[in-house]
Amino acid sequence: MAGGQQPGSARPNPNLNPKRKSEPSDLIRSVQRALRVMEAIGAAPNGLTAKQIARRCGLTLPTSYHLVRTLTYEGYLIRGEEGRFQVGLALSDRFADLVATMRGPSTVAEVLRRTVGDTGYSHYLGRVVDGRIAVTAVIEGARSPHLEDLILGFDEGAHATALGKALLSTMSIQERRYYLREAGMRKYTDYTVTEPRALEYDLAQLATQGIYTEINQFRTGVGCAASVVRDDPDPRCRTVIACTMPLPELERYGPRIKSRLRRAADELIPLL
């Protein structure tokens, strides 16, 4: 074929990318086709079927099917009603990466505000202050219920909150026993863990997930998730980030919420 075009390869569409530069000879065609597919779908608010994608991008139908299956598996597309493909959630993560790159250095407060803006959930920073687990920063989100007790300086209920569990996990068993003996294990709801052995089991299970959660333990109908930002030999430097939300939303969007929380923790690491 003219110009070295292979069967099933994408033909440049000037309407999708009007500023295309002269094409180098060493491009990876499969990547190029996938990008053309993303551009075509992004320009169609109602999505496109595999056949429509093939026509718009100049692909064979088998190639179109292979590409949309791969992009769907990776989260960049979702398959909706009537077999129409639309932009997937993974693309929003890449956009967030782009914004972060363009924005430059952040502060801790900016990371918290941005994360609250992205999710709508209240976020908290927790540290060990004077030997007590405490909330050291709070940015509230409209989608989270207001928790009157979970405020700046709050240093109770470590056993009942995800923030507290994450910080307790950075302690040795002996340190935890001493801390809980001094702080007590108040019962906030019928689901609050009030026995040290039960809490040890809970922490061991959560440690395997890398994210610490609690459901109904601090407030009925509320879920909380937390991630360790910094685990330091000096207790005063140990830091975690946590978020709260209505329990149904944690149950429904759990994986995505946890992924966003990890990303926020990664953004905070160089700032602490």
Side-chain angles (χ1 to χ4, degrees), residues 89 119-121 143 211 213 225 243 245-262:
L89 295 175
T119 64
Y121 301 129
R143 293 176 63 183
I211 292 287
T213 57
C243 61
M245 67 216 67
L247 182 54
E249 297 196 24
L250 177 59
E251 294 173 337
R252 183 176 182 182
Y253 305 116
R256 185 155 182 79
I257 290 169
K258 294 173 183 178
S259 176
R260 186 63 183 87
L261 196 61
R262 288 190 186 97

Side-chain angles (χ1 to χ4, degrees), residues 12-83:
N13 186 335
N15 294 323
L16 294 177
N17 195 343
K19 296 183 179 180
R20 187 179 303 282
K21 299 178 181 179
S22 58
E23 188 174 276
S25 60
D26 58 349
L27 297 181
I28 300 176
R29 297 300 180 185
S30 59
V31 175
Q32 191 177 40
R33 294 168 196 152
L35 291 173
R36 298 295 84 76
V37 168
M38 293 300 302
E39 290 175 350
I41 293 175
N46 296 322
L48 298 171
T49 65
K51 291 182 180 179
Q52 290 172 325
I53 293 168
R55 287 196 298 269
R56 295 195 184 194
C57 297
L59 303 172
T60 65
L61 188 56
T63 298
S64 177
Y65 276 120
H66 284 308
L67 288 172
V68 295
R69 285 195 193 103
T70 302
L71 290 167
T72 300
Y73 174 79
E74 295 295 338
Y76 288 92
L77 295 179
I78 55 175
R79 190 176 188 275
E81 297 179 356
E82 300 178 354

Side-chain angles (χ1 to χ4, degrees), residues 40-221:
I41 293 175
N46 296 322
L48 298 171
T49 65
K51 291 182 180 179
Q52 290 172 325
I53 293 168
R55 287 196 298 269
R56 295 195 184 194
C57 297
L59 303 172
T60 65
L61 188 56
T63 298
S64 177
Y65 276 120
H66 284 308
L67 288 172
V68 295
R69 285 195 193 103
T70 302
L71 290 167
T72 300
Y73 174 79
E74 295 295 338
Y76 288 92
L77 295 179
I78 55 175
R79 190 176 188 275
E81 297 179 356
E82 300 178 354
R84 289 180 174 272
F85 292 88
Q86 295 177 300
V87 172
L89 295 175
L91 197 63
S92 67
D93 291 336
R94 301 293 75 76
F95 176 74
D97 293 339
L98 171 64
V99 171
T101 300
M102 299 297 290
R103 184 178 50 248
S106 299
T107 65
V108 170
E110 286 172 350
V111 171
L112 287 177
R113 282 194 294 269
R114 184 165 61 252
T115 305
V116 171
D118 289 347
T119 64
Y121 301 129
S122 298
H123 278 69
Y124 310 81
L125 211 64
R127 305 184 78 158
V128 178
V129 179
D130 292 332
R132 301 282 296 184
I133 289 175
V135 176
T136 57
V138 179
I139 302 292
E140 293 199 54
R143 293 176 63 183
S144 293
H146 174 68
L147 301 178
E148 62 281 358
D149 289 341
L150 206 56
I151 58 175
L152 195 67
F154 177 73
D155 65 349
E156 299 178 11
H159 61 291
T161 65
L163 180 148
K165 290 176 189 286
L167 279 169
L168 285 171
S169 75
T170 67
M171 302 179 184
S172 67
I173 294 178
Q174 291 76 18
E175 288 173 332
R176 276 196 298 273
R177 287 176 180 171
Y178 176 79
Y179 185 91
L180 294 170
R181 186 166 59 247
E182 293 296 311
M185 298 181 70
R186 171 185 164 187
K187 185 175 182 178
Y188 289 91
T189 74
D190 290 340
Y191 299 93
T192 305
V193 177
T194 57
E195 295 294 330
R197 287 186 180 180
L199 181 62
E200 287 296 328
Y201 177 81
D202 192 20
L203 293 178
Q205 294 293 108
L206 294 172
T208 64
Q209 303 173 23
I211 292 287
Y212 294 82
T213 57
E214 64 85 6
I215 295 174
N216 287 325
Q217 294 184 36
F218 185 67
R219 286 291 184 275
T220 302

